[in-house]
Amino acid sequence: MENIIGPIISLFFIIVTARLLLKRYNPHAVLLISGLVMLIMALLLNYKLPQISDPSGFSGFDVFKYIKESFSKTNADVGLMIMIIGGFVAYIEKIGASNCLVYVAMKPLKLFKKHPYLTSTLVIPIGQILFIAIPSAAGLALLLMASLFPILINLGVSKTTAASVITASTALGIGPASVITASAANIIQVDAVLFFINDQILISCIMSVVMMLCYFFVNRYFDSKEAQTSEALINKEPELKAPLIYALLPVFPILLLIIFSELFSLFKEPIILDTTTAMIISLIIALIFEWVRTGNIKEVFESLKVFWDGMSTIFKGVVTLIIAADIFAKGLISLGFINGLLDISLNLGLNATGIIIVMTIMIFLASMLMGSGNAAFFAFGPLVPKIANKLGISSTSMILPMQFSASMGRTVSPVAGVLIAVSEIAKVPTLNIVKRNLIPLITALLIMLCFEII
């Protein structure tokens, strides 16, 4: 009976939280308070709380200390990366580099002006290839927001369409550098590169094609229904605000990350560059460009304020929401919601195919609720060898759809960092992007399950 109470309480909080978010209550407050209350209830019910690095000695205080730890961890890791990228995006917009990129890109892309939705779907495979080298969903999405977003808008699609295909390019967490891939390979004890080549590539290509077809029709339908097309920009030539060489600046971080990635061995001694460092290097290069162009070092120094302002905007709108979502996820885990779902699936008496389907859907839903594919997969993934052995099936056949569903669920989560960050820069509601992503991602999920079952 005790094992049932926690999941029932967590399900109640999920319903209440979803209702409040749909009623447009402040998401930061809703997620934070819901998460805290769930943690307190887990404490009162003697459930095992998530591990804390530096306990205070009193569990009542430790509940609130999770917020401090989440701030510390997020700001030192993904939060800093997102803020730096947000500041860089704001700065290159201020100095006119984004306009230059649009101007240059629009020349060959004029051939596609009559087919803007076809062009927008091409972002998905292009972004997916980049995602292999830049395995940060939020990092890659924001880099594409700086480089491809203005181009797509000038081709004539809506901001929501452009934002949706950019987030879709991060829907499949594949490649040796992916955290989920590395974890999955470690769980089933195979080499990550071989797992990528032998198991991930084929199914990811099939799902990418399915997603492209779905996004073409879904975005075109929603844009026509909502009258969101950027008609004012279709025939408008981008205004040049800086020399054409500035067009290199928005794509410079991507080039750095691809050249200095684990996928290439261009140097005798391996040189690996992270996203945050690449953004800082690119910012310094942008400052040098401005100094050469203006010859006024004081003016260049003053322009750096735009970078700091961009960072602060992302912090208050995005990073704080990621922290609130993290507390909400901890609340769900502490009440045994994940373990409860697993127990139900195992007690239904399903065969191997049924268990794979149930586990895949559970991870998809858990990822949606928690806004983190990693958190959802790390909760279920380690259980795979034991379950697979019990059912007499291959661990690979079970873990592959599970790891795909984790990253796909994140792409339709209104509390996922990548969607929050993209929606903030695109200036469109997060739920509007979720609405565009839902049909293509669910379709791809069903195709994947059919492929795995067959």
Side-chain angles (χ1 to χ4, degrees), residues 85 88 92 134 139 143 146-147 248-260 273-275 277-283 285:
I85 293 174
F88 180 75
I92 62 171
I134 309 167
L143 288 170
S147 53
L248 293 172
L249 294 177
V251 297
F252 199 74
I254 297 176
L255 294 176
L256 281 175
L257 288 166
I258 291 174
I259 294 170
F260 299 102
L273 195 62
D274 63 89
T275 304
T277 306
M279 300 307 300
I280 295 172
I281 293 171
S282 301
L283 173 67
I285 292 172

Side-chain angles (χ1 to χ4, degrees), residues 278-399:
M279 300 307 300
I280 295 172
I281 293 171
S282 301
L283 173 67
I284 299 302
I285 292 172
L287 289 170
I288 294 171
F289 271 49
E290 276 292 271
W291 183 17
V292 172
R293 180 170 74 97
T294 64
N296 188 332
I297 190 66
K298 183 179 180 182
E299 184 180 319
V300 173
F301 285 174
E302 284 294 317
S303 70
L304 197 57
K305 286 182 179 179
V306 176
F307 174 77
W308 305 124
D309 289 341
M311 283 187 67
S312 64
T313 299
I314 292 295
F315 175 79
K316 67 183 182 183
V318 179
V319 177
T320 51
L321 188 52
I322 293 172
I323 292 166
D326 180 54
I327 300 300
F328 181 74
K330 279 184 169 63
L332 288 177
I333 293 170
S334 66
L335 281 172
F337 180 71
I338 302 299
N339 290 334
L341 288 177
L342 181 61
D343 289 340
I344 291 171
S345 66
L346 291 175
N347 291 329
L348 287 176
L350 300 174
N351 60 15
T353 300
I355 291 292
I356 290 174
I357 292 173
V358 170
M359 293 283 284
T360 300
I361 293 174
M362 282 197 305
I363 288 189
F364 185 83
L365 295 175
S367 183
M368 280 184 65
L369 290 169
M370 294 189 285
S372 169
N374 290 349
F377 183 76
F378 292 163
F380 288 96
L383 304 170
V384 166
K386 183 179 178 181
I387 298 172
N389 184 56
K390 184 178 180 181
L391 296 172
I393 60 174
S394 163
S395 294
T396 302
S397 65
M398 188 172 187
I399 209 164

Side-chain angles (χ1 to χ4, degrees), residues 66-85 274 276 280 311-324 326:
Y66 285 120
I67 301 176
K68 175 201 167 186
E69 287 207 347
S70 185
F71 262 101
S72 301
K73 182 181 176 182
T74 303
N75 287 338
D77 189 15
V78 68
L80 176 62
M81 178 191 70
I82 292 174
M83 285 190 289
I84 292 288
I85 293 174
D274 63 89
T276 304
I280 295 172
M311 283 187 67
S312 64
T313 299
I314 292 295
F315 175 79
K316 67 183 182 183
V318 179
V319 177
T320 51
L321 188 52
I322 293 172
I323 292 166
D326 180 54

Side-chain angles (χ1 to χ4, degrees), residues 81 101 122-149 151-152 165-179 196 204 208 250-264 273-275 410:
M81 178 191 70
L101 177 64
L122 294 176
V123 172
I124 296 171
I126 293 170
Q128 186 61 65
I129 292 170
L130 291 174
F131 196 34
I132 296 171
I134 309 167
S136 163
L140 175 63
L142 290 181
L143 288 170
L144 295 178
M145 286 298 291
S147 53
L148 286 180
F149 182 75
I151 297 172
L152 293 174
V165 293
I166 284 173
T167 56
S169 67
T170 68
L172 306 177
I174 62 175
S178 166
V179 174
F196 166 59
S204 64
S208 290
V251 297
F252 199 74
I254 297 176
L255 294 176
L256 281 175
L257 288 166
I258 291 174
I259 294 170
F260 299 102
S261 72
E262 293 180 353
L263 294 180
F264 299 97
L273 195 62
D274 63 89
T275 304
R410 177 195 61 219

